[in-house]
Amino acid sequence: MLLFGSVHLLPGGLDWRPPALNRALAVADDLWFELPLDETMDDEVRRLSLQQGVLPPGDSLWARLTPLQRDRVERAAAGVGVAPTALTRLRPWMAELALSVAADAHAGAVVAEGVEARLQADAPATARRHALETVRQQLGFLAGGSPGDQIASLDETAQEMITDSDLYARIVRDWMTADLTALQRDALDPLAAAAPASYRRLIIDRNARWARVLAHIARESTGVTVVVVGAGHLVGPAGVPSLLRARGLRVEGP
């Protein structure tokens, strides 16, 4: 089994694929992603986002924020070309997701250049595709935080966008150089500090579930398996590699 940490959206022109990944991908029998990357995924994301991410009539995002929080969110939105009015009816988690995607795109990220999109296209047609989660599950993890935790996470993202415009580029550099300490600092620690319950739900708990599944696959599979998940899930003592080691598996690499 080869376990690879991804950045979901990337700028074009990066030479990011290590030889070991190319070799494993060329002969892969099974390819695992976080989500099912089929033709129905985008439609399902849009449908469920409308169901779970939009506030009921008469409610608004701004009514849930303090004046200072609203100012930060509006400034962050304007800085990446998003009209603040586009966020009015969104729940805090959905507004944060919209801002994050817009910020990455503003920094040059392209969906088609993301790790998953490229590997999905380049893997052998015979490789069986699998998903660790459904779209409904993943959106449920994002939507499942308490109102206070959602707002704290949104506010942290807005502050980062205003005060640290180089963050996305820095995370990509951390990833390209396999600097795990920097990835922890830049990609994980801010969420852990601002919204610890969200951090547990989105990172810690999911890592534990995935480690159980992957340990079973590693022990039972006789073919070549390539697993691709967000790079932040592979970092630190709560990362998937550490959890697999704790389950008695030999894991080479970081």
Side-chain angles (χ1 to χ4, degrees):
M1 175 186 289
L2 185 140
L3 184 60
F4 187 73
S6 80
V7 174
H8 303 310
L9 307 178
L10 282 172
L14 294 180
D15 182 14
W16 54 264
R17 290 167 64 154
L21 174 61
N22 288 331
R23 289 193 298 269
L25 190 69
V27 295
D29 298 293
D30 293 277
L31 184 58
W32 285 80
F33 295 112
E34 292 185 26
L35 290 173
L37 302 184
D38 56 32
E39 63 278 2
T40 68
M41 187 188 75
D42 289 342
D43 288 341
E44 189 171 11
V45 168
R46 283 190 287 270
R47 179 176 61 83
L48 292 175
S49 294
L50 285 173
Q51 287 180 6
Q52 301 183 40
V54 177
L55 290 163
D59 200 353
S60 81
L61 174 66
W62 314 124
R64 298 172 176 231
L65 306 182
T66 68
L68 184 58
Q69 288 168 337
R70 175 173 180 168
D71 178 68
R72 281 195 286 260
V73 170
E74 290 184 331
R75 287 168 58 199
V80 294
V82 173
T85 53
L87 305 177
T88 301
R89 293 290 314 286
L90 301 184
R91 295 186 183 276
W93 72 267
M94 190 67 189
E96 181 183 7
L97 181 61
L99 286 180
S100 296
V101 171
D104 290 352
H106 188 73
V110 181
V111 172
E113 293 293 338
V115 169
E116 286 84 355
R118 293 284 299 277
L119 297 185
Q120 166 78 337
D122 294 347
T126 54
R128 294 176 291 267
R129 272 67 167 176
H130 310 273
L132 291 163
E133 297 170 347
T134 66
V135 171
R136 182 178 292 277
Q137 284 175 320
Q138 192 164 111
L139 287 179
F141 298 142
L142 293 169
S146 69
D149 227 40
Q150 288 186 34
I151 290 170
S153 186
L154 169 62
D155 191 43
E156 172 64 26
T157 293
Q159 290 184 67
E160 287 176 348
M161 291 171 63
I162 294 166
T163 64
D164 192 1
S165 60
D166 187 50
L167 178 61
Y168 168 77
R170 195 165 65 251
I171 288 173
V172 172
R173 288 195 298 270
D174 297 342
W175 175 70
M176 290 283 292
T177 58
D179 189 336
L180 303 189
T181 300
L183 275 172
Q184 178 78 44
R185 180 193 65 227
D186 293 331
L188 296 177
D189 288 349
L191 175 62
S198 289
Y199 179 75
R200 172 162 291 282
R201 187 177 65 259
L202 296 174
I203 304 297
I204 303 296
D205 292 347
R206 291 168 75 205
N207 288 357
R209 283 192 294 271
W210 295 352
R212 288 195 295 271
V213 173
L214 297 179
H216 176 76
I217 294 169
R219 291 189 173 105
E220 299 298 324
S221 176
T222 58
V224 176
T225 300
V226 175
V227 180
V228 182
V229 297
H233 293 283
L234 307 187
V235 176
V240 172
S242 294
L243 297 178
L244 291 176
R245 290 186 181 104
R247 288 177 169 270
L249 294 171
R250 183 169 63 88
V251 181
E252 298 178 357

